[in-house]
Amino acid sequence: SKSEQEKEEDDSFLLTPARLTSLETSAFTSHSIKGLKRILAAYRTACHLGDPSKQESKKGVRDDESDGDDDGDENGARGTKKRKKNKREFYITSPVVFDRLMATCLMNCQEEFHYHLLGDGSSGKGGTKDSKKANKSKKSNKDDSDSDSDDDGNTQTNTHTDENKPIHPRQLQKSPHYNTLHPYMESFFKSTLHLLTETGKEPRLQKFVLSALSKYIPYFSSFPRSSKPLLKACVKLWSAPLDTSQDYQMVRLQAFLRIRQLAITQPFPFIEECLKTTYLSYAQRSKFGTASNVTTVLPTLTFMGNCIVELYTLDYASAYQHAFVYIRQLALHLRTALMKKTPESVSAVYCWQYVHCLKLWVAVLSAAVGGKGSTASVAHDDDDGEENERNDAKLGGGAGKDDEANLLKSLVYPLTEIILGTVRLIPIARYVPLRLH
């Protein structure tokens, strides 16, 4: 009957443990591009499992005959077929299968991307029909790619890429599988971003996703449309004001590490976007750092301030531009208060937000002028001196140069004058505690 046929069709797309094992073997053991497409389609379904549209209908895009993501069609992904309608996609009913699928894809997909684009599979020899077709389409670009072969020789032999070293888009485009995998990689990144930004997630899940993203950040240089949304999501998690629990502090730490990694690996001027968004988020959250909640909000603000000091010591040239603008804004608020002496203008200066911003710029300039760099930052393995020297060449504006550090030194005098003017604004006993800060 018709109902029995529909039931059999539903069962054919039900993701069971046995079917998931088959997908894992095809994608991660046999290195099949078709198997990788199928498991990425299942991963996309899992990331959008809680969407209202998924609850209403299970109609969608078939895993092995579509682009794997509607967003890839909207962005004009190359080398793919048009999305076919009236097809079915995987659906998941078991939480065990869901957890296993998420963990497997986040932990193993990077190795497959590296294998097909930078590793042994990038040669296009043998393999599946997809690789043979891609190899034929890539022969015309062989001469252009040979000129850069010497620069990328080390990447071809390594199993893993350096998480703090960007991957040039041209390096990925030399692989014959690039046009085939590009829309699926974009679908993977957007699905992961959707999972990360979805409300109601547990801190442990957010921490796991952020930690797993560290291996994928270098690939974002080829996906600039996904870099800014990821930065926005990480900044939002990093500056979340509601949750001050110990578990969420690890989420803040992982979110900042991804922000720092984006600032290092993405091409200039992406680091300026990192500096701007982090400072504005700090300024917005600092208004809640009052004396009444000193045990809850103040430790978070201190952590956020240390993170900003770390970012602003990565590139002194960009840091000077932003520091000059924001310190000038503080000076304008002070000048307005000195000239008008109205309650509104004075309250704009004599508030916790203004005080925290002054303390932050003191910490930034002290770290830059003192030449200590990241000593005020959160301790982690990526902050050793030799690695920072290697990353200096990747940052726009020549990060770490002494003459550019002197630019920040020139802001010490105006910041000092602003602090003194703030102390002398209303010299009465009521504001004596303010002077102690």
Side-chain angles (χ1 to χ4, degrees), residues 158-421:
N158 293 334
T159 306
H160 302 283
T161 57
D162 188 355
E163 295 180 358
N164 288 326
K165 183 178 180 182
I167 300 177
H168 198 280
R170 186 179 301 176
Q171 186 177 350
L172 298 178
Q173 293 170 3
K174 290 193 294 184
S175 171
H177 307 303
Y178 176 77
N179 290 339
T180 303
L181 291 179
H182 184 274
Y184 289 91
M185 293 177 66
E186 189 173 21
S187 171
F188 174 81
F189 293 144
K190 290 183 177 180
S191 299
T192 305
L193 182 61
H194 177 81
L195 177 68
L196 194 62
T197 56
E198 188 178 352
T199 57
K201 294 299 180 182
E202 296 182 356
R204 289 184 297 177
L205 176 59
Q206 293 175 333
K207 175 188 172 183
F208 174 76
V209 175
L210 287 169
S211 178
L213 275 175
S214 62
K215 300 183 295 183
Y216 300 94
I217 295 297
Y219 294 90
F220 273 80
S221 57
S222 299
F223 303 89
R225 294 184 181 181
S226 300
S227 299
K228 287 187 177 181
L230 177 60
L231 173 64
K232 183 179 179 181
C234 290
V235 171
K236 184 177 180 180
L237 294 173
W238 171 71
S239 61
L242 299 179
D243 198 339
T244 58
S245 61
Q246 186 65 28
D247 293 338
Y248 196 81
Q249 296 304 321
M250 297 303 299
V251 177
R252 294 185 194 274
L253 175 60
Q254 290 296 329
F256 166 69
L257 294 180
R258 301 293 79 78
I259 295 172
R260 181 184 183 273
Q261 197 175 358
L262 285 170
I264 292 176
T265 58
Q266 301 309 296
F268 186 83
F270 191 85
I271 187 174
E272 295 190 348
E273 188 71 19
C274 297
L275 299 179
K276 176 182 177 181
T277 53
T278 51
Y279 173 76
L280 293 180
S281 298
Y282 175 86
Q284 184 178 4
R285 298 293 178 254
S286 61
K287 65 177 64 175
F288 302 105
T290 61
S292 60
N293 53 15
V294 64
T295 59
T296 57
V297 178
L298 190 58
T300 301
L301 284 178
T302 302
F303 170 78
M304 294 176 62
N306 291 338
C307 294
I308 293 179
V309 172
E310 166 75 13
L311 290 179
Y312 273 77
T313 52
L314 292 176
D315 186 349
Y316 290 132
S318 298
Y320 171 78
Q321 300 293 332
H322 289 268
F324 179 86
V325 171
Y326 295 130
I327 291 177
R328 183 175 180 271
Q329 288 181 353
L330 297 177
L332 292 177
H333 284 296
L334 179 60
R335 186 183 69 173
T336 303
L338 289 171
M339 294 176 62
K340 295 184 177 181
K341 291 292 182 68
T342 60
E344 293 79 9
S345 61
V346 173
S347 62
V349 175
Y350 278 3
C351 63
W352 283 105
Q353 185 180 28
Y354 195 90
V355 172
H356 284 304
C357 290
L358 285 177
K359 294 174 68 175
L360 173 65
W361 290 119
V362 169
V364 171
L365 297 185
S366 298
V369 175
K372 296 180 180 180
S374 60
T375 54
S377 66
V378 182
H380 53 84
D381 296 335
D382 297 335
D383 290 338
D384 58 285
E386 296 180 358
E387 182 176 337
N388 287 337
E389 292 178 0
R390 294 195 303 268
N391 291 330
D392 286 345
K394 299 295 181 182
L395 296 175
K401 292 184 179 179
D402 294 337
D403 55 344
E404 292 171 349
N406 291 332
L407 291 176
L408 287 174
K409 186 177 181 180
S410 64
L411 298 177
V412 172
Y413 175 76
L415 181 61
T416 304
E417 290 297 320
I418 293 174
I419 296 174
L420 294 177

Side-chain angles (χ1 to χ4, degrees), residues 97-138:
V97 173
F98 174 84
D99 294 341
R100 178 180 163 189
L101 174 64
M102 302 300 295
T104 301
C105 288
L106 287 173
M107 299 303 296
N108 297 326
C109 281
Q110 184 272 337
E111 297 180 0
E112 289 304 307
F113 295 157
H114 183 277
Y115 175 84
H116 292 294
L117 298 178
L118 301 172
D120 297 336
S122 62
S123 60
K125 297 180 180 180
T128 62
K129 295 180 180 180
D130 294 333
S131 63
K132 294 179 181 179
K133 292 180 181 179
N135 189 30
K136 293 180 180 179
S137 64
K138 203 66 180 180

